[in-house]
Amino acid sequence: MASAPEPSHCKVILAGNIAKSLQNEVQEGVKKLERAPLLVGFLATDDAASRVYADWTGKTCRDNGFDFELREVTKDDIEEGIMSANTDDKVDGIIVYYPIHGNRQDQYLQQIVDIGKDVEGLSHKYIFNMYQNIRFLDDAKQRKSILPCTPLAVIKILEYLHVYNPILPYGNRLHGHTVTIINRSEVVGRPLAALLANDGANVYSVDIDNVEQFHRGEGLRKRRHTVDEKGGWTIEHCLPLSDVVISGVPGDKYKVPVKLLRNGAVCINFSSEKNFTPEVKEKASIYVPAIGKVTIIVLLRNLLVSACTK
Amino acid sequence: MASAPEPSHCKVILAGNIAKSLQNEVQEGVKKLERAPLLVGFLATDDAASRVYADWTGKTCRDNGFDFELREVTKDDIEEGIMSANTDDKVDGIIVYYPIHGNRQDQYLQQIVDIGKDVEGLSHKYIFNMYQNIRFLDDAKQRKSILPCTPLAVIKILEYLHVYNPILPYGNRLHGHTVTIINRSEVVGRPLAALLANDGANVYSVDIDNVEQFHRGEGLRKRRHTVDEKGGWTIEHCLPLSDVVISGVPGDKYKVPVKLLRNGAVCINFSSEKNFTPEVKEKASIYVPAIGKVTIIVLLRNLLVSACTK
């Protein structure tokens, strides 16, 4: 009765399949509105990647019952353009293709966008609420605080993968999970670490300098996460403890040391490059190689929320 | 903005609530049959616990649309009694209240019960299939191999708790979980370790003598579990690695060292005594204090399977 070894059992899940379930939800929502919500995109550079992303936004909008209008402006006109869209009742959401100035002026522009039309979730109020684990703009809990698209896309993926446990109360559904996030950018890595820790996970946030632990303490006693620096820790300490590993390191040089992965870990790559080598499939139970298609649907979901609460 | 500490967030889930969802499934199944399935119980001792269990079986049967008949026999008549029930077409399932002789003769009696009426899953063929990870009696996969009730009850509980991940293929849905089982009895602990490992978990089986690891290897390459003795390991090595801890130590002396539990672990007690101290709630995400009500519904579920495939 010797049992011959079989190939490894890693389930590779493509973002397109995850996006489909969200697409249905978004399309149903649009049907209930009187008119198609209008997203206005601002393109103020010659950057090829920005134009590709703009075209892709437009296509995805139209495919899902939304209107999209690309406004091409100069760097000098972008501020005025945004302000004009802010006060235009026909405009439901605004997306700006960064980088424009490539410096702090871009962060200034992000705060110009009217909070009710900020479907990217970049307004300071939204970011503040996210870190503080405040989920609504109003006390009556009618108006959801918008979350930034890429971190929210990762959350939607973790829900799809059943890492969020629906038997636990909303807000605590990652209790018991240990997550390593490789990337601590202000745009994705740090907000994502905060969001997952706020939902109950024990998160190790790894960047080139150090490891930080985002967590709500034993028994989730804290109502929002706190951060502890893990002196002397490296990714080698984090990976063997983590049942979820999320990597988003730019460039094609970086590779996650898959040998250190816990057997059966859930692995998600949000870098535009492949941070995991093919050997990830020897260890992981689930591998999601890219997330872009989910991110764009999440943007439409935010647009729908904005259009519904106007 | 200092956030005051809150009480710990452990969800205590009672077996009665878990049983309800299985009860609905069983009751729907019974309605599709021409007549109520008949379970015959054999009581051959004065043991008070056996009589309580027999009465409880009867009540649960009748509450869920099954018939139950208790046959009280002497130790000398039990073998003949079982053989007569084996050949009686009106009898769909047989349960024998052990211990009777309290020695190997009881194991002999277990093998007397006709395999088609063995709703407890104690026949050698069923036990063999369970350890070998063979899930059907026939090649056409029409006749399910029955699993022993208490281990199966734990599996049903883990499904209810969403520890089994439905996004993974059937048979691999515990991939990525590390489970400690404290108890390695032939009736529950060892079969349970084998079942969970066959479903993809990495299982540490702990008893008073040693620790054994039941697993299917990296990437679940083996089609059924193998067992490695973990020389020098104790429960202190196992608990910090385990996201699920299942304890079934008889008697009121034993307590799981909850301080060693992983934050947010899922804890299940199948002992008739409380193996976990109340402090388990400071650490666990989910705590199931007892499983008896699920076990009895699982027995009826096995009876339904037998009645349907006659």
Side-chain angles (χ1 to χ4, degrees):
Chain A
M1 280 308 286
S3 42
E6 293 189 8
S8 66
H9 287 283
C10 176
K11 181 149 179 156
V12 178
I13 301 192
L14 301 179
N17 290 330
I18 305 172
K20 264 178 211 154
S21 62
L22 295 165
Q23 239 167 336
N24 292 339
E25 184 193 327
V26 164
Q27 289 174 5
E28 288 305 307
V30 170
K31 281 182 197 158
K32 291 183 188 139
L33 298 175
E34 285 180 21
R35 62 169 178 83
L38 172 63
L39 178 65
V40 168
F42 284 97
L43 187 63
T45 65
D46 297 330
D47 182 50
S50 291
R51 181 167 296 273
V52 169
Y53 188 37
D55 291 343
W56 194 32
T57 323
K59 183 180 183 316
T60 312
C61 274
R62 286 182 288 268
D63 286 351
N64 289 282
F66 294 79
D67 282 337
F68 180 73
E69 195 182 308
L70 186 63
R71 298 189 182 168
E72 300 193 41
V73 292
T74 64
K75 288 183 187 183
D76 291 338
D77 293 338
I78 178 82
E79 186 168 345
E80 208 176 327
I82 293 171
M83 289 197 298
S84 149
N86 278 345
T87 53
D88 182 348
D89 281 348
K90 291 192 295 295
V91 178
D92 297 287
I94 295 170
I95 178 171
V96 181
Y97 297 99
Y98 297 103
I100 293 172
H101 301 285
N103 57 29
R104 281 192 55 185
Q105 212 177 325
D106 285 357
Q107 277 96 72
Y108 168 79
L109 285 175
Q110 286 174 357
Q111 303 310 319
I112 298 284
V113 175
D114 183 273
I115 190 168
K117 301 187 179 183
D118 173 18
V119 292
E120 295 186 273
L122 301 173
S123 298
H124 176 74
K125 178 71 179 166
Y126 290 145
I127 302 289
F128 174 83
N129 283 353
M130 179 193 67
Y131 281 112
Q132 292 290 330
N133 203 14
I134 297 168
R135 301 191 177 210
F136 292 89
L137 291 171
D138 56 335
D139 290 338
K141 300 189 174 180
Q142 294 300 307
R143 294 172 61 211
K144 270 192 184 175
S145 194
I146 296 284
L147 294 172
C149 293
T150 306
L152 180 55
V154 174
I155 287 177
K156 289 291 155 189
I157 289 167
L158 291 172
E159 285 180 354
Y160 181 91
L161 301 180
H162 294 257
V163 175
Y164 274 76
N165 188 341
I167 203 144
L168 293 174
Y170 177 78
N172 293 342
R173 290 183 172 165
L174 291 180
H175 195 184
H177 287 285
T178 300
V179 182
T180 291
I181 302 172
I182 310 163
N183 167 312
R184 202 187 300 132
S185 68
E186 276 302 295
V187 185
V188 187
R190 192 167 81 94
L192 181 59
L195 282 165
L196 301 188
N198 283 343
D199 278 341
N202 176 40
V203 180
Y204 297 114
S205 167
V206 178
D207 77 358
I208 202 161
D209 295 322
N210 69 349
V211 173
E212 290 179 356
Q213 184 181 14
F214 290 57
H215 65 97
R216 282 172 49 201
E218 216 166 77
L220 307 185
R221 273 198 191 66
K222 297 167 186 155
R223 60 154 292 283
R224 71 175 189 91
H225 74 279
T226 49
V227 182
D228 297 325
E229 179 159 357
K230 302 291 285 180
W233 277 47
T234 67
I235 192 165
E236 305 200 0
H237 300 84
C238 304
L239 291 187
L241 299 171
S242 297
D243 55 281
V244 179
V245 177
I246 304 167
S247 187
V249 180
D252 57 2
K253 296 279 183 298
Y254 182 77
K255 299 295 170 191
V256 177
V258 294
K259 277 197 178 159
L260 297 174
L261 287 175
R262 202 176 159 93
N263 245 317
V266 171
C267 296
I268 300 171
N269 176 56
F270 70 83
S271 171
S272 55
E273 302 289 337
K274 287 196 167 72
N275 284 180
F276 293 92
T277 55
E279 290 75 40
V280 66
K281 293 180 214 165
E282 308 297 309
K283 283 268 196 145
S285 59
I286 299 174
Y287 171 47
V288 181
I291 74 160
K293 287 186 181 171
V294 178
T295 308
I296 195 124
I297 296 295
V298 160
L299 179 88
L300 295 189
R301 203 171 167 276
N302 281 348
L303 176 58
L304 185 64
V305 170
S306 292
C308 289
T309 52
K310 266 206 336 189
Chain B
M1 280 304 290
S3 44
E6 294 189 5
S8 67
H9 287 282
C10 176
K11 182 150 180 155
V12 178
I13 300 191
L14 302 178
N17 290 329
I18 304 172
K20 264 178 211 153
S21 62
L22 295 165
Q23 240 167 335
N24 292 339
E25 183 193 329
V26 164
Q27 288 173 5
E28 288 306 307
V30 170
K31 281 181 196 157
K32 291 182 190 141
L33 298 175
E34 284 180 20
R35 64 170 178 83
L38 173 63
L39 178 65
V40 168
F42 284 96
L43 187 64
T45 66
D46 297 330
D47 181 51
S50 290
R51 182 166 295 274
V52 168
Y53 187 36
D55 291 344
W56 193 32
T57 323
K59 184 182 182 313
T60 311
C61 274
R62 286 183 286 269
D63 286 351
N64 288 282
F66 294 79
D67 282 338
F68 180 74
E69 194 181 309
L70 186 65
R71 298 188 182 169
E72 300 193 39
V73 293
T74 65
K75 287 183 187 184
D76 291 338
D77 294 339
I78 178 80
E79 186 168 345
E80 209 176 327
I82 293 171
M83 288 198 298
S84 150
N86 277 345
T87 53
D88 181 348
D89 281 347
K90 290 193 296 295
V91 178
D92 298 285
I94 295 170
I95 179 171
V96 181
Y97 297 99
Y98 298 103
I100 293 172
H101 301 285
N103 56 30
R104 281 193 54 184
Q105 210 175 327
D106 285 357
Q107 276 95 74
Y108 168 78
L109 285 175
Q110 285 173 358
Q111 304 310 319
I112 298 284
V113 175
D114 182 272
I115 190 169
K117 301 186 180 183
D118 173 18
V119 292
E120 296 186 274
L122 301 173
S123 299
H124 176 74
K125 178 72 180 166
Y126 289 145
I127 303 288
F128 174 82
N129 283 354
M130 180 193 67
Y131 282 111
Q132 292 290 329
N133 203 14
I134 296 168
R135 301 192 177 209
F136 292 89
L137 291 171
D138 56 336
D139 290 339
K141 300 190 174 179
Q142 295 299 306
R143 295 172 60 211
K144 270 190 183 176
S145 193
I146 297 284
L147 293 172
C149 293
T150 306
L152 181 55
V154 174
I155 287 177
K156 289 291 157 191
I157 289 167
L158 291 173
E159 285 179 354
Y160 181 91
L161 302 180
H162 294 256
V163 175
Y164 274 75
N165 188 341
I167 203 144
L168 293 175
Y170 177 78
N172 292 343
R173 290 183 173 166
L174 292 179
H175 194 184
H177 288 285
T178 299
V179 182
T180 291
I181 301 172
I182 310 164
N183 169 312
R184 202 187 301 132
S185 69
E186 277 302 294
V187 185
V188 187
R190 193 168 80 94
L192 181 59
L195 282 166
L196 301 188
N198 283 343
D199 278 341
N202 175 40
V203 180
Y204 297 114
S205 167
V206 178
D207 78 357
I208 202 160
D209 295 321
N210 68 348
V211 174
E212 289 178 355
Q213 184 182 13
F214 290 57
H215 65 97
R216 282 172 50 203
E218 216 167 79
L220 308 184
R221 272 198 194 65
K222 296 167 186 155
R223 60 154 292 282
R224 70 175 191 92
H225 74 279
T226 50
V227 182
D228 297 325
E229 179 159 358
K230 300 293 284 182
W233 276 48
T234 68
I235 192 166
E236 305 200 0
H237 299 84
C238 304
L239 292 187
L241 298 173
S242 297
D243 55 281
V244 178
V245 177
I246 304 168
S247 186
V249 180
D252 56 3
K253 296 280 183 298
Y254 181 77
K255 300 294 170 193
V256 176
V258 293
K259 277 197 178 161
L260 297 174
L261 287 175
R262 202 175 158 93
N263 245 318
V266 171
C267 295
I268 300 171
N269 176 56
F270 70 84
S271 171
S272 54
E273 303 288 337
K274 287 196 168 71
N275 284 181
F276 293 92
T277 56
E279 290 73 41
V280 66
K281 293 180 215 164
E282 308 297 310
K283 283 268 197 147
S285 58
I286 298 175
Y287 171 48
V288 180
I291 74 161
K293 287 186 181 171
V294 178
T295 307
I296 195 122
I297 295 296
V298 160
L299 179 88
L300 296 188
R301 201 171 168 277
N302 280 349
L303 176 57
L304 184 65
V305 170
S306 291
C308 288
T309 51
K310 266 209 330 193

